[in-house]
Amino acid sequence: MKAYPQTVHFVGLNAPIGEEYDIASLAVEGQIPADVDGVFFRAVPDPAFPPKFDDDNLLSHDGMISAVRLQSGAASLSMRYVKTARYLAEKEAGRARFGRYRNPFTDDADVQGVDRTVANTTPVWHAGRLLMTKEDGRPYRVDPQSLETLGSYDFGGALKSQTVTAHVRVDPVTGELFFFGYEADGLASPKIAYMIADKDGNLVHEHWFDAPYCAMMHDFAITENYALFPIYPTTCDLDRLKQGGDHWIHDMEKDSWLGVMPRYGDAAQVRWFKGPKGVSCYHMMGAFEDGQGRINFDQCLSNVNAFPFIREASGIHMQPWEVQGALTRWTVDPKGAATEVTETVIGPPGDFPVIPAARQGRPYDHGWMLTMNPDMKGPPVAGGPVGGMFNMLIRLDFKGGPMQALPLDPGMSFNEPVHVPASAPGHDGWLVTIVDTQVGPNDFTHACWIINAGDIGAGPVAKIAIPRRLRPQVHGWWVPSAQLAAAA
Ligand SMILES: [Fe+2]
């Protein structure tokens, strides 16, 4: 078999593993809180075969679904590939047949037309269904107990969009699932599809509208009355794809935009507010309306696209330290005369923001995110698609209280935590996350940590060693045992 390229996307923490397994019992150090009873589903990209092209990147790698089960004080772990059409086609041939990241013109002739999504970004739980998502295609439904793949999911044939985001929003009051797809009718298209599924998972709303230009739309946000669609200038061009080129080029001269649509609105009701040129963002912490009807939209904004491979393709040559960002609030008045966003920095640089699910679309007074410890001596652990892993967890208090921090020792890194609410009133709940520790040039150990979300500086209340090598996770989702039982 062809060897894996020795690039950052395939070495060290990013070295392919490709193992499906079940570990029935994991040793628990400390005590798993009674609130933490459920399954931590994780999406982990891991290529089943060496890529066709050596410039392949981690975002293209086959999706694996990982289940860390924390139930009745015990812990177990399972890992499975999502059996996408692409995975099955490559498995059949025993080699890679799909080409460059999001460019089907580079695929083998005999797999043209085969669904090429890898379902590697977020496990989404809604209405008793578990979906593995990636923004370039439709999700795959997975059995939450066995982790077996049940097939591509189109909401019972109702979905028209060819794509579904990996970042959905669930309203905590109505239970509705809000989501969208971009490039909704094909490659490089500016068409956005905006969808709502009711609390039972029925697709009840799908409206299409045009973005100012075709852009990477990784995440979005809702408020009580609006859906918010950010556009940052990472753009696609069909002719470039046909020539075998990159899907994404970041354009520092193009404006960013925030599209504001009434929650249950349509294309005619979208209003676009202009933002700064050249900026980029992958994840929003949240959004909400203030007492005056203004919309606050909080995002991990950076001055350029954070992915080095996209900057290289764009001819943007910046040192890692020149890539700067901050938790940034854009404020707009949907009924006002101003046509541009007002920008305010509200937190440090970082990513993987988390708020309690109960505050989705509502004002929130605290949140958590990952960042780099500014006092850390030496480089972060190399890994993930950006090249460096985060080494500090923070809790931000928007009421003016002090920031809490949990810095890791050198050689350690955090993956994105999930939040588990507490049953006790006034308790912040818990964060569950995987922590990597580098123990040799190419050796890593991993553990699941459970942290008191209101006192993160105290460190984990429980640690569960994972006796396997793990690749970096993208996103996760916490599903309580009671919901799994009800769905079964
Ligand atoms: Fe994401």
Side-chain angles (χ1 to χ4, degrees), residues 179-195:
F179 60 109
F180 70 99
Y182 70 91
E183 297 184 70
D185 63 347
L187 294 167
S189 161
K191 294 288 180 201
I192 302 169
Y194 169 51
M195 279 79 71

Side-chain angles (χ1 to χ4, degrees), residues 389-407:
M389 299 288 286
F390 289 110
N391 54 25
M392 190 160 81
L393 171 68
I394 54 175
R395 179 191 183 281
L396 295 166
D397 187 320
F398 300 109
K399 300 189 305 292
M403 184 182 90
Q404 297 178 15
L406 177 56

Side-chain angles (χ1 to χ4, degrees), residues 101-102 135 182-183 214-217 234-236 240-241 246-250 305 309-310 313-314:
Y101 168 64
R102 297 183 69 168
E135 65 198 40
Y182 70 91
E183 297 184 70
C214 174
M216 175 195 277
M217 296 178 67
T234 298
T235 67
C236 184
R240 185 169 73 232
L241 291 177
D246 291 280
H247 195 101
W248 297 123
I249 294 288
H250 191 74
N305 196 298
F309 78 91
I310 292 177
S314 312

Side-chain angles (χ1 to χ4, degrees), residues 199-241:
K199 65 177 174 35
D200 300 316
N202 304 303
L203 192 73
V204 292
H205 184 103
E206 178 169 359
H207 282 290
W208 288 41
F209 61 104
D210 285 321
Y213 51 84
C214 174
M216 175 195 277
M217 296 178 67
H218 185 66
D219 194 358
F220 87 131
I222 58 167
T223 68
E224 272 189 78
N225 295 296
Y226 294 93
L228 309 171
F229 302 90
I231 303 284
Y232 310 101
T234 298
T235 67
C236 184
D237 177 77
L238 189 59
D239 288 334
R240 185 169 73 232
L241 291 177

